């Protein structure tokens, strides 16, 4: 059986620096801990802001779906 999910809303989630408020970027490194951790650095060259996120905290495109009503095939 196939089911359709309709997107109610799509948005971009970004990580902002706690020190200066600029956007933070992934360093390209993945720490080999369990679970994996992802270091981020501030994009502002005058700031030394950094943070480390777990996979479920990563920024990116996020989706919210409409509630779906169950339909039975007759």
């Amino acid at each position: 059986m196939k089911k359709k999910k309709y997107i109610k809303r799509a948005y971009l989630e970004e990580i902002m620096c706690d020190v200066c408020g600029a956007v933070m970027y992934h360093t390209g490194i993945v720490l080999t801990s369990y679970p994996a951790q992802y270091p981020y650095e501030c994009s502002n060259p005058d700031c030394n802001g950094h943070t480390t996120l777990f996979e479920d905290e990563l920024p990116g495109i996020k989706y919210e779906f409409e509630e779906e009503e169950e339909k039975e095939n007759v």
Side-chain angles (χ1 to χ4, degrees):
M1 174 169 60
K2 289 185 182 180
K3 283 188 171 183
K4 291 183 181 179
K5 287 187 176 183
Y6 293 96
I7 298 172
K8 179 170 43 172
R9 183 169 62 158
Y11 57 94
L12 177 63
E13 193 174 74
E14 294 180 312
I15 301 298
M16 307 305 284
C17 180
D18 290 335
V19 178
C20 72
V23 176
M24 299 189 85
Y25 291 104
H26 185 253
T27 62
I29 298 170
V30 178
L31 303 178
T32 57
S33 60
Y34 183 78
Q37 297 180 41
Y38 301 83
Y40 278 74
E41 292 180 349
C42 183
S43 62
N44 182 351
D46 298 329
C47 180
N48 192 24
H50 59 278
T51 190
T52 302
L53 303 175
F54 291 104
E55 188 169 0
D56 62 338
E57 303 171 317
L58 294 177
I61 298 174
K62 307 291 180 175
Y63 301 98
E64 290 180 11
F65 297 98
E66 291 182 359
E67 296 297 321
E68 185 176 336
E69 294 182 19
E70 293 290 325
K71 295 181 181 179
E72 293 184 21
N73 291 339
V74 178

